[in-house]
Amino acid sequence: MNKKLLDLIAQQFDSEEKIVTEIINLEAILNLPKGTEHFVSDLHGEYQAFQHVLRNGSGRVKEKLTELFEDQLTEENISEFATLVYYPEEKLRLIKNRFDNKKELNHWYTEVIERLIKLLSYASSKYTRSKLRKALPEQFVYITEELLYKTDDSTNKKQYYNQIFQQIIKLNQADQLIIGLAYSVQRLVVDHLHVVGDIYDRGPEPDKIMDTLINYHSVDIQWGNHDVLWLGAYAGSKVCLANIIRICARYDNLEIIEDAYGINLRPLLNLAEKYYHDNPAFRPKIHSSKKTSESEQLQITKIHQAIAMIQFKLEMPIIKRRPYFNMSERLLLEKVDYENNKVTMHGEKYPLQNTCFATVNPEQPDQLLEEEAEVMDRLLFSVQHSEKLARHMNFLMKKGSLYLKYNGNLLIHGCIPLDEKGNMEKMAIEGKTYGGRDLLDIFETYLRQSFSQPEMTDDFATDMVWYLWTGEYSSLFGKREMTTFERYFIKDKKTHKERKNPYYYLRENEQVCRNILAEFGLNPDKGHIINGHTPVKEVEGENPIKANGKMIVIDGGFSKAYQSTTGIAGYTLLYNSYGMQLVAHEHFNSKEEVLRDGTDVLYVKRLVDKELERKKVSETNVGEELLQQVSLLTMLLEHRFSK
């Protein structure tokens, strides 16, 4: 095996000089400071807020500007410069309107380009020239490198550099250069992005977030429960598909289905118009910034009811054919007394309200009407033939995983299912018992299997994807049951309560967190668990840093639906060579407000962990790969060129 590998490597490194040069290069890189990691979570379609956090690097851009120009620029000037880096196209237009003559504008161009070059140099100080070159604006690589590495601007080359600036301005390239340099700075302040789950649902533009991630220079994704729901729908699960349409209807976001992904909802609307009427429990949650007419709201209300009833029906055959899912209590349509309008749950009867059972056969409540079945077939066909959705789902699968071990930390969206004593909770699947890391691994195996066979719609793997959305031992759901039916139809709020897995209170315990890190083969003394999924209610005094810093929860409410209960607009986490900082964000109103006022939405930074010694590339996942390359190259050198 080694010989075959060495032969392949030898094709690229076919001389002793090339091998030695590469070993020297890699060994040098291993001693550079580690790059900055940026963690975000629970984006829930909030594209504009995500874009801002991505562009400002959770405050890294402004920090570097302040460090570099604190003695030269006022705080107001630094804020304006930062905004230029975040939104160069829009800010350029606003700034240029201030100048009355070309001479003043040209002077401003020269000044700003010089400052951007200094900022670029400062932001790239821990990278190799090769890595920096890849981040530079493609059409200006040569010019930018000349300006970056100038060392003799006072004597021999002064006129040379002046001429570069003059020609950039004269040839009307100043705007494009400024824009290119701004994006290069954005790229360099963050080396790698982690998205710790839930890109989809609730917010209006998850498709734009996906397009951004596809074009991002370095990213990984830990799937959230909402992401898996979309993966499941694309993989052939009709019940997952019904769920995503229901959620989009609930949050008045059906445009994601129709406009963004080109899926025709007309057949579903026709069905809804035939059987359903207005119903207060199914009225959509209207966005404050969005105008939806009464007639549109009524249409959405009808669609919402139609797809919810289809969802409840589709769940039942899965529950019956998979008894080890332990979900028989969720066969609620069978527990309804349709004559007296009551339902029996856990031995107790509850009156029902706002019911919409027009398509339910009390004798066979799980039976779809022929037209309901036809609608779902057509919807699934549209989903699996949407080119844009295919591109997004394939990227989500390629870059995603249920958990990730990265630079000594465990990244997971939901939870590690635990019992009350803190032991790994066990689940029996097809005759075998799994817990902890093994349970998550088998979940991911089934998800990937289902995704690879989209024509299989009722197999075990596809059913398991739905279980990840709603099952009690799912690491993504983390609750005993999902009370969607109760929230729609039962007034008594005690039935709405969803009991959380013990993980969610045990994660406050340092020893429990250390045990989880050990379960995943990580060092409990140095590692952290980075978690999303459950919004941290900072307004009530909840601390996102738990278990003596071993647990960091970064879902602080990117989704506007949560911000009234969290009190903030999301957490992000930064991890550079000096340690970790948690960043809390204020509510993001609009890009226009940032451009106009230069305001940033950073709220406060908290030190999570400080490295005693500055961390190097050699101590990272990337460093492990480089060390393996050095080892192979050393073997090749000895094998081919030793005397």
Side-chain angles (χ1 to χ4, degrees), residues 299-332:
Q299 280 189 341
I300 296 168
T301 302
K302 292 176 180 179
I303 288 174
H304 192 175
Q305 292 171 88
I307 201 65
M309 296 314 300
I310 290 172
Q311 175 193 314
F312 296 140
K313 291 181 183 183
L314 289 171
E315 290 171 348
M316 296 173 71
I318 303 175
I319 294 169
K320 289 177 180 178
R321 67 177 174 253
R322 313 296 178 198
Y324 32 87
F325 283 5
N326 193 29
M327 296 175 71
S328 59
E329 282 292 333
R330 302 310 302 165
L331 297 169
L332 293 173

Side-chain angles (χ1 to χ4, degrees), residues 120 124 127-138 141 144 179-190 217:
L120 190 64
S124 63
Y127 299 129
T128 63
R129 285 195 178 189
S130 173
K131 188 165 186 173
L132 171 58
R133 188 178 300 116
K134 292 172 185 174
L136 297 179
E138 192 174 341
V141 170
T144 307
I179 291 166
L181 292 174
Y183 284 120
S184 294
V185 170
Q186 288 181 30
R187 175 169 173 171
L188 289 165
V189 295
V190 169
H217 59 275

Side-chain angles (χ1 to χ4, degrees), residues 90-105:
E90 296 92 336
K91 192 64 178 178
L92 266 172
R93 286 195 292 270
L94 291 173
I95 291 174
K96 284 165 67 177
N97 287 335
R98 300 177 193 165
F99 292 100
D100 296 324
N101 63 72
K102 204 168 184 180
K103 187 176 180 180
E104 289 180 359
L105 177 60

Side-chain angles (χ1 to χ4, degrees), residues 60-74:
R60 291 291 294 157
V61 170
K62 198 166 186 179
E63 272 184 11
K64 290 194 175 293
L65 277 170
T66 302
E67 290 165 6
L68 196 56
F69 297 115
E70 191 172 23
D71 297 332
Q72 302 171 41
L73 299 174
T74 65

Side-chain angles (χ1 to χ4, degrees), residues 26-40:
L26 294 176
E27 288 282 10
I29 291 171
L30 287 165
N31 285 281
L32 288 171
K34 78 173 281 296
T36 299
E37 296 170 62
H38 192 189
F39 301 78
V40 299

Side-chain angles (χ1 to χ4, degrees), residues 58-59 63 538 542-545 567-574 580-587 600-608:
S58 284
E63 272 184 11
E538 174 147 320
E542 184 180 356
N543 192 346
I545 304 171
I568 59 168
Y571 292 110
T572 54
L573 184 70
L574 294 168
M580 284 185 170
Q581 277 190 321
L582 186 73
V583 185
H585 299 264
E586 292 179 332
H587 176 68
D600 230 327
V601 293
L602 300 179
Y603 177 51
V604 66
K605 291 192 175 185
R606 304 178 198 177
L607 185 67
V608 178

Side-chain angles (χ1 to χ4, degrees), residues 93-235:
R93 286 195 292 270
L94 291 173
I95 291 174
K96 284 165 67 177
N97 287 335
R98 300 177 193 165
F99 292 100
D100 296 324
N101 63 72
K102 204 168 184 180
K103 187 176 180 180
E104 289 180 359
L105 177 60
N106 291 349
H107 176 73
W108 179 83
Y109 273 141
T110 303
E111 194 174 64
V112 166
I113 292 169
E114 285 182 333
R115 285 176 182 159
L116 279 169
I117 291 292
K118 287 179 182 176
L119 178 60
L120 190 64
S121 177
Y122 189 57
S124 63
S125 59
K126 61 183 177 184
Y127 299 129
T128 63
R129 285 195 178 189
S130 173
K131 188 165 186 173
L132 171 58
R133 188 178 300 116
K134 292 172 185 174
L136 297 179
E138 192 174 341
Q139 69 273 41
F140 297 114
V141 170
Y142 170 75
I143 292 170
T144 307
E145 286 188 327
E146 284 295 300
L147 295 174
L148 274 170
Y149 305 128
K150 65 176 183 174
T151 57
D152 193 11
D153 58 343
S154 60
T155 53
N156 297 339
K157 285 189 173 181
K158 185 173 182 180
Q159 289 186 328
Y160 169 74
Y161 292 123
N162 287 341
Q163 191 64 28
I164 288 176
F165 282 113
Q166 288 175 24
Q167 289 302 310
I168 289 168
I169 295 166
K170 182 180 178 181
L171 296 171
N172 298 317
Q173 295 300 302
D175 284 8
Q176 290 307 309
L177 178 58
I178 288 169
I179 291 166
L181 292 174
Y183 284 120
S184 294
V185 170
Q186 288 181 30
R187 175 169 173 171
L188 289 165
V189 295
V190 169
D191 190 47
H192 187 79
L193 176 68
H194 304 285
V195 182
V196 193
D198 277 356
I199 295 163
Y200 280 89
D201 292 334
R202 295 197 176 94
E205 298 175 313
D207 58 304
K208 291 184 178 180
I209 293 176
M210 287 301 299
D211 283 335
T212 300
L213 295 177
I214 286 171
N215 292 312
Y216 200 74
H217 59 275
S218 184
V219 63
D220 58 60
I221 300 165
Q222 292 72 62
W223 300 314
N225 49 322
H226 289 270
D227 305 322
V228 163
L229 199 59
W230 281 75
L231 286 169
Y234 185 76

